[in-house]
Amino acid sequence: MAFLELNDVEKSYATNPVLRGITLHVAKHQVVCLIGASGCGKSTLLRCVNALEDIQGGDIRLDGDVVSGEGIDVNSLRRKVGIVFQSFNLFPHMTVLQNVTLSPIRVLGVPRADAEKQAIALLTRVGLAEKADAYPDQLSGGQQQRVAIVRALAMNPEVLLLDEITSALDPELVAEVLNIVRDLAADGLTILMATHEMSFAREVADTVAYIHEGTVLEQGPPADIFGAPQHERTQAFLKKIIEAGRL
Amino acid sequence: MTLKTPPVARPLGVAQPSPVGTARTLLLAGVLLCLLTVGMTGFAAYLTITVAETGVWKTALGAATLVVVVLALLTARPLISGFRQQVASTTAAEAGDLVSARKFRARAAQSGWTALGSCLPLMFIATFTMFLLANDHAVQTTFFDAQFMAQSVGDVTVAFGENIKIALLAEAFVLVWALVIALARLAPSKAGRPLRWLATAYVDVFRAIPSIIVIYLVGFGLPLAGVPILSEMGPMWSAVLALTLTYGAYVAEVYRAGIEGIHWSQVSAARSLGLSYGKTMRHVIVPQAVRKVTPPLLNDFIGLQKDTALVTIIGTVDAFTQAKMYSSNYFNLSSVTVVAILFIIITIPQTRFVDRLLERDARRQLSKG
Ligand SMILES: Nc1ncnc2c1ncn2[C@@H]1O[C@H](COP(=O)(O)OP(=O)(O)OP(=O)(O)O)[C@@H](O)[C@H]1O
Ligand SMILES: [Mg+2]
């Protein structure tokens, strides 16, 4: 049984169906990359896993337990599942250190001193220890995104969701963020990520899933998906990506 | 890049130069206004020196109006330089140097506008002085009787302490109370609906009632009804309660706008870290909203401070009450002018401060692009 399971998940906004029966399994310590055209539902899928959106059909299970639908404890789910957004969403009125320690202190009840020690350790790991007292608007996009990753990691999540975390970055800043993800993957963190960075997906993913109009059209090891895509639409999508020089 | 454009038939020869024009009319208008200003200020100065009360006012006003006359005369300076530029422009135009002609004409016009601009405030001052001195300086003695002002200023200022006390207490309560109302208006989900209705009704009602009515009803009504505790709190606390009720409704709306102005992605980010709705509000949304709404909030507080003068109707001895006692004893309103001046003194620094905050925010917005 996979660690994170989506079974036939359906989601619509008002009358507009966005996810139409997504089935996807993520084993522990695996990296699964979601690829697909803009608007196919990648962000929505990730937000559903984190219970930021309700789903209307199917279920989501974490470690065997159903974590979607009525009556679930969203706050305890979110302690186990971290998410990092495309637009960083740091809290602008807090320093980097306060951003990172907010939820360990307020949600987990970690003593401030311990939370700060852990935060500094994580910041050191991503090379931002000296920015601990800076405010988000004093940082570059890449630095902000690294802080956002650290903020999610500070909760010791069992699964990390990454939603196109490099899409809002200038090209020269992409590598510094992806390097961290690569590190985390190597450490065995379970990661489900939406991305447009195909070469990164090819290198790091255990499984790549091609999403089309709210369904998983095709999934498998990156070598298969990128090397010999079965489905016509996947082929067309990858052809466009190659034409754009991104693979 | 070279673009091949088909040759267009265009009449050969010189491009028509744009006409230079002249600033003469403007300068003439300036001269007329300047003369008028000098006349008016001169007359005002004459009135001041001959008519005004003797003593402090005579010396002070006399000196002040003389300064104004001098300033009026000084407006001739830009006019003179304007005429020089105009002459230079005409000469240049005749010599065929259109570029210089235009430049000098522009400078002449600039000087003309400068002169006109300086005349207007001076004329205003002259008019105001004449108003003060009208009817054998009756206006001045009624509103600005120096001796009487000096006599009442001590007591009035002490009583003004009561206004400040009421304002500060009410402001402290408003800060908290309004936030409670705002959060109730934004209470989430179906369970929060009755709370939302209640808060909305409160805001609607108290924004509709004039604060003087609320003060009157609270100050007289509660004791009359003999409500326990509330009826024994005295006029000062009645005033604080009434102003808190009224301004709580206004400031709640200010808070609400601030909270709603925070981008929803901040809520997503906070909730995704496991923070509950309450903690998200407390640590993430409200602190950002409060920063944003400080300028409008301070504006409402300035309004509140001024409304403390209304408590006079329920018999609180504030500055206005004190000043009215003086004025009815002496048939002179200068003590009330003292109250006005006190309010001006405390309010202007605050409005400047709000302006500064707004400027700072505008700059931040700009620098963020
Ligand atoms: N809050 C919302 N309300 C209504 N429709 C929405 C909402 N959020 C997303 N959608 C719709 O759902 C569909 C999927 O959006 P989603 O953001 O999941 O796409 P995506 O795959 O992440 O695209 P991108 O690569 O551009 O980020 C889109 O058609 C979008 O218009
Ligand atoms: Mg997206």
Side-chain angles (χ1 to χ4, degrees):
Chain A
M1 185 180 51
F3 187 60
L4 173 66
E5 283 181 21
L6 286 82
N7 297 314
D8 210 17
V9 169
E10 287 171 17
K11 158 86 195 165
S12 18
Y13 288 111
T15 57
N16 170 30
V18 176
L19 303 182
R20 313 163 188 238
I22 293 264
T23 299
L24 189 69
H25 293 187
V26 183
K28 207 155 188 152
H29 311 304
Q30 264 208 336
V31 176
V32 173
C33 283
L34 307 173
I35 61 171
S38 185
C40 68
K42 305 182 293 292
S43 301
T44 307
L45 190 159
L46 294 176
R47 292 174 64 85
C48 288
V49 173
N50 201 249
L52 287 170
E53 304 283 354
D54 312 324
I55 61 174
Q56 278 90 46
D59 64 31
I60 301 174
R61 289 163 193 260
L62 183 68
D63 210 1
D65 192 13
V66 175
V67 293
S68 60
E70 273 177 75
I72 53 149
D73 180 353
V74 286
N75 294 334
S76 83
L77 163 68
R78 289 171 186 153
R79 269 173 241 166
K80 297 183 208 148
V81 181
I83 185 166
V84 181
F85 304 93
Q86 178 174 345
S87 50
F88 329 141
N89 301 355
L90 294 179
F91 306 130
H93 61 301
M94 296 183 184
T95 62
V96 166
L97 192 63
Q98 287 167 336
N99 263 281
V100 175
T101 55
L102 176 69
S103 52
I105 294 173
R106 299 293 168 185
V107 178
L108 303 181
V110 177
R112 180 175 299 275
D114 297 353
E116 288 182 350
K117 217 163 81 187
Q118 186 210 8
I120 295 289
L122 286 170
L123 287 169
T124 310
R125 188 169 159 195
V126 302
L128 285 175
E130 79 279 16
K131 297 287 185 191
D133 293 321
Y135 282 88
D137 60 2
Q138 298 166 327
L139 303 180
S140 74
Q143 292 171 330
Q144 290 190 47
Q145 193 58 294
R146 285 187 273 162
V147 173
I149 295 173
V150 165
R151 182 173 69 174
L153 291 177
M155 293 295 281
N156 279 320
E158 296 171 22
V159 180
L160 190 60
L161 310 173
L162 306 175
D163 187 6
E164 291 188 36
I165 55 171
T166 56
S167 294
L169 297 179
D170 290 337
E172 76 271 21
L173 301 178
V174 168
E176 66 187 47
V177 171
L178 290 183
N179 284 339
I180 292 167
V181 180
R182 191 177 283 118
D183 260 21
L184 293 173
D187 282 2
L189 186 63
T190 311
I191 296 175
L192 175 59
M193 66 187 289
T195 186
H196 287 306
E197 300 293 336
M198 299 301 159
S199 38
F200 181 78
R202 174 139 79 176
E203 171 202 336
V204 176
D206 296 291
T207 303
V208 173
Y210 174 67
I211 315 277
H212 179 74
E213 289 180 356
T215 52
V216 181
L217 209 54
E218 189 167 353
Q219 60 178 312
D224 294 359
I225 298 288
F226 291 114
Q230 297 301 304
H231 206 285
E232 202 178 306
R233 290 194 190 279
T234 320
Q235 291 162 2
F237 174 75
L238 289 172
K239 188 160 165 265
K240 274 192 208 143
I241 295 284
I242 290 165
E243 278 168 2
R246 303 191 63 154
L247 188 65
Chain B
M1 188 167 64
T2 51
L3 275 179
K4 270 244 162 102
T5 44
V8 176
R10 201 183 277 162
L12 284 177
V14 227
Q16 279 296 306
S18 54
V20 173
T22 164
R24 219 166 269 140
T25 325
L26 181 63
L27 288 168
L28 282 179
V31 170
L32 285 179
L33 201 67
C34 172
L35 289 176
L36 186 63
T37 311
V38 172
M40 281 174 70
T41 50
F43 182 59
Y46 166 76
L47 275 183
T48 313
I49 293 163
T50 53
V51 166
E53 214 183 321
T54 45
V56 202
W57 277 117
K58 186 160 193 144
T59 335
L61 280 182
T65 43
L66 280 178
V67 169
V68 173
V69 175
V70 173
L71 286 176
L73 289 170
L74 284 179
T75 55
R77 271 189 47 177
L79 284 176
I80 293 168
S81 92
F83 276 111
R84 283 219 193 95
Q85 305 284 353
Q86 181 56 46
V87 171
S89 164
T90 317
T91 341
E94 277 160 8
D97 182 358
L98 290 182
V99 176
S100 308
R102 273 202 294 268
K103 181 179 77 183
F104 287 125
R105 192 258 300 137
R107 287 184 189 171
Q110 188 60 49
S111 303
W113 285 117
T114 310
L116 285 177
S118 350
C119 284
L120 289 178
L122 293 173
M123 285 175 70
F124 174 76
I125 292 173
T127 314
F128 185 65
T129 314
M130 287 189 258
F131 170 68
L132 283 182
L133 300 173
N135 189 17
D136 193 16
H137 75 284
V139 177
Q140 186 226 318
T141 32
T142 309
F143 293 105
F144 299 99
D145 183 323
Q147 226 176 339
F148 184 50
M149 285 169 88
Q151 191 184 337
S152 61
V153 71
D155 282 345
V156 170
T157 308
V158 170
F160 193 63
E162 194 73 5
N163 294 72
I164 292 182
K165 194 160 87 184
I166 293 172
L168 289 179
L169 284 169
E171 283 168 3
F173 287 125
V174 164
L175 277 181
V176 179
W177 176 234
L179 187 59
V180 172
I181 301 295
L183 290 174
R185 278 204 84 173
L186 295 167
S189 84
K190 207 168 155 187
R193 194 181 295 159
L195 211 55
R196 290 199 292 274
W197 281 346
L198 197 64
T200 310
Y202 169 81
V203 170
D204 286 351
V205 167
F206 278 92
R207 285 207 303 176
I209 312 177
S211 27
I212 193 165
I213 307 280
V214 179
I215 292 173
Y216 200 82
L217 289 176
V218 171
F220 287 139
L222 292 181
L224 204 63
V227 186
I229 308 168
L230 288 180
S231 61
E232 284 141 37
M233 61 188 171
M236 201 275 291
W237 285 103
S238 301
V240 171
L241 175 60
L243 288 171
T244 305
L245 287 173
T246 302
Y247 279 88
Y250 283 103
V251 175
E253 286 302 279
V254 170
Y255 275 133
R256 187 169 71 105
I259 290 171
E260 286 180 336
I262 304 297
H263 198 260
W264 60 268
S265 62
Q266 288 284 308
V267 177
S268 284
R271 297 305 304 272
S272 77
L273 288 166
L275 291 159
S276 62
Y277 175 82
K279 284 177 181 167
T280 299
M281 280 292 158
R282 180 166 149 224
H283 298 292
V284 177
I285 306 302
V286 171
Q288 291 185 60
V290 167
R291 257 158 253 230
K292 258 201 188 161
V293 302
T294 307
L297 192 133
L298 288 180
N299 275 335
D300 277 351
F301 276 4
I302 290 171
L304 184 153
Q305 291 160 19
K306 294 193 296 179
D307 275 2
T308 58
L310 299 175
V311 305
T312 187
I313 56 156
I314 55 169
T316 315
V317 183
D318 77 320
F320 186 31
T321 315
Q322 187 65 261
K324 280 194 302 182
M325 286 192 231
Y326 267 95
S327 70
S328 55
N329 286 341
Y330 294 84
F331 299 106
N332 186 299
L333 287 181
S334 302
S335 53
V336 180
T337 308
V338 172
V339 182
I341 292 171
L342 289 173
F343 273 108
I344 291 173
I345 290 172
I346 63 158
T347 302
I348 287 184
Q350 297 181 76
T351 45
R352 280 294 88 76
F353 180 64
V354 173
D355 289 349
R356 287 262 293 282
L357 286 181
L358 286 172
E359 261 170 44
R360 191 201 60 188
D361 289 351
R363 265 205 309 280
R364 281 219 184 128
Q365 285 294 318
L366 274 183
S367 70
K368 270 187 193 159

